[in-house]
Amino acid sequence: MITVTATVDRWNPDPLITGKAGRIIRSGGLVAFPTETVYGLGADALNPEAVRKIYEAKGRPSDNPLILHVYSPSQASQYVKMNRLAWRLTDEFWPGPLTLVLPAMDIVPSITRGGLPTAAVRMPDNPTARALIYAANTAIAAPSANLSGRPSPTDAEAVLQDMAGRIDMIVDGGSVTLGIESTVIDITNPEHVLMLRPGGMPREVIEERIGITIEAPDDTSLKRSPGTHYKHYAPSIPVKIWRKKPGRLPKSFAFMGMNPPKSLAMKKSIIFTSIENYAHGYFAGLRKLETEDVACILVEWPEGDTGLSEGLRDRISRSAGVEVSEN
Ligand code: TXA
Ligand code: MG
């Protein structure tokens, strides 16, 4: 298969290009496209055969449910049973990096929801993504457009690295704005909202604006969200976490973070000036540093309870293949 790349202005995409990409989706093909979080690998969410191709292209286990990307809250109501809280949340936070898990309608094929009775919906804050969904005239099922286990792609070049020859088209809308995936919450029971994956929409912003407390899921609900298992987001060389005091380090390593350890000789480094920049550059940084001649990548553990720190810590611990409990 030849993968065609077409470049668009993210804010004002050429309708000829989104139209063509929409027709590919409509006819059962695969198109990678930009969202505000990371690039997605899209297929018609209502076409089981097309969705099967997503799992195949990524090399992803097919019990892992996908997010249905929509262009409006009312489109979402065709695929999931919206409750009052869902409408409030979509009113406040859509378009944006917040994914809602709700009871699925029958038209959502079992393969799209990984066999679960629920489905996940999200309206991306990226005009190109929405123009594509609109042109495809369906919901677009889209995981991140990387090979399973690899860091998520934040630009079209990273998509091409993993997906060349595996998908029909890449819509190149430049680098994404956020850099980590959406926050996923289960609101099936509005009395007990569950955090399935911290991400681009900070927990405290949702809690404060809506007046709810988001709970940690128990083991059974986490099992129902298989994408939250580690190991994930891993480059081809080991990732080690640096929390204040570095432990034993190999002779040659690369560093990524905000406060490089003084007195340690690092071969390469990527230094960020804010947590937003760190989150934005994290996945791209892993892909860059894995090509350097170093034994491991030392990544700084971001402290702090607000903003993107919880989501970034989640991605970092998964890249390192360790479970770090949040308290
Ligand atoms: O920002 C994002 O969310 C990106 C962009 C492309 O939109 N997409 C993304 O998709 O990260 P993916 O497939 O890599 O992650 C989807 C997450 C997984 O953790 C999955 O287990 C969870 O959402 N999920 C999807 N449907 C679910 C469901 N019905 N119940 C529980 N968890 C679900
Ligand atoms: Mg992913």
Side-chain angles (χ1 to χ4, degrees):
M1 180 189 293
I2 291 172
T3 303
V4 180
T5 302
T7 304
V8 295
D9 171 357
R10 180 198 318 161
W11 306 113
N12 188 19
D14 182 344
L16 286 176
I17 292 174
T18 50
K20 178 179 174 199
R23 283 193 298 279
I24 292 175
I25 299 263
R26 200 62 204 173
S27 60
L30 299 181
V31 176
F33 63 98
T35 79
E36 79 280 36
T37 59
V38 300
Y39 271 71
L41 175 53
D44 182 350
L46 304 186
N47 176 344
E49 187 48 34
V51 172
R52 197 190 50 75
K53 289 184 197 163
I54 293 182
Y55 292 111
E56 202 175 273
K58 278 185 68 97
R60 168 164 165 159
S62 61
D63 66 344
N64 202 342
L66 302 173
I67 298 170
L68 285 82
H69 293 69
V70 295
Y71 58 76
S72 70
S74 75
Q75 191 199 0
S77 72
Q78 299 175 34
Y79 311 119
V80 291
K81 198 161 180 299
M82 302 278 282
N83 52 34
R84 242 180 95 80
L85 179 60
W87 289 112
R88 281 184 67 202
L89 287 162
T90 57
D91 237 31
E92 282 285 340
F93 298 114
W94 281 13
L98 179 65
T99 296
L100 304 177
V101 171
L102 284 160
M105 300 290 196
D106 288 343
I107 55 162
V108 181
S110 171
I111 186 170
T112 307
R113 14 183 185 116
L116 298 172
T118 52
V121 287
R122 156 166 138 77
M123 176 181 175
D125 188 12
N126 179 304
T128 298
R130 289 204 302 276
L132 173 60
I133 302 164
Y134 194 80
N137 194 25
T138 180
I140 298 185
S144 47
N146 51 278
L147 288 174
S148 191
R150 297 267 303 145
S152 302
T154 53
D155 59 27
E157 203 180 299
V159 176
L160 205 56
Q161 256 178 19
D162 282 19
M163 290 296 156
R166 292 171 170 264
I167 62 178
D168 299 287
M169 184 173 178
I170 300 174
V171 178
D172 181 353
S175 177
V176 301
T177 47
L178 263 169
I180 60 173
E181 297 89 341
S182 62
T183 299
V184 183
I185 57 177
D186 183 332
I187 58 165
T188 309
N189 177 355
E191 304 298 316
H192 292 281
V193 174
L194 306 176
M195 176 64 80
L196 297 182
R197 180 180 71 181
M201 180 61 69
R203 166 202 294 272
E204 75 279 2
V205 174
I206 308 170
E207 292 184 332
E208 279 161 24
R209 263 204 249 161
I210 304 291
I212 54 171
T213 304
I214 304 177
E215 302 169 24
D218 55 27
D219 284 352
T220 19
S221 1
L222 261 192
K223 276 201 194 87
R224 283 191 268 117
S225 194
T228 56
H229 301 330
Y230 65 106
K231 151 126 191 188
H232 237 95
Y233 314 118
S236 55
I237 54 175
V239 169
K240 287 194 193 307
I241 297 174
W242 174 49
R243 284 178 103 152
K244 297 212 172 86
K245 283 208 177 70
R248 279 175 122 250
L249 291 171
K251 272 208 192 71
S252 105
F253 66 93
F255 170 86
M256 180 159 50
M258 295 164 67
N259 307 286
K262 293 192 190 80
S263 78
L264 282 176
M266 58 197 80
K267 216 164 163 185
K268 280 277 163 195
S269 62
I270 303 180
I271 319 277
F272 301 103
T273 52
S274 68
I275 188 80
E276 290 76 24
N277 290 342
Y278 192 179
H280 182 255
Y282 179 68
F283 287 134
L286 293 178
R287 283 179 183 263
K288 166 116 191 49
L289 294 175
E290 72 178 355
T291 65
E292 303 290 344
D293 181 26
V294 289
C296 80
I297 305 173
L298 184 65
V299 298
E300 181 181 342
W301 188 247
E303 304 290 344
D305 295 329
T306 56
L308 299 178
S309 49
E310 186 185 3
L312 182 56
R313 283 198 292 272
D314 170 84
R315 304 307 183 273
I316 289 174
S317 55
R318 291 174 206 282
S319 309
V322 294
E323 228 166 345
V324 185
S325 64
E326 285 278 345
N327 41 31

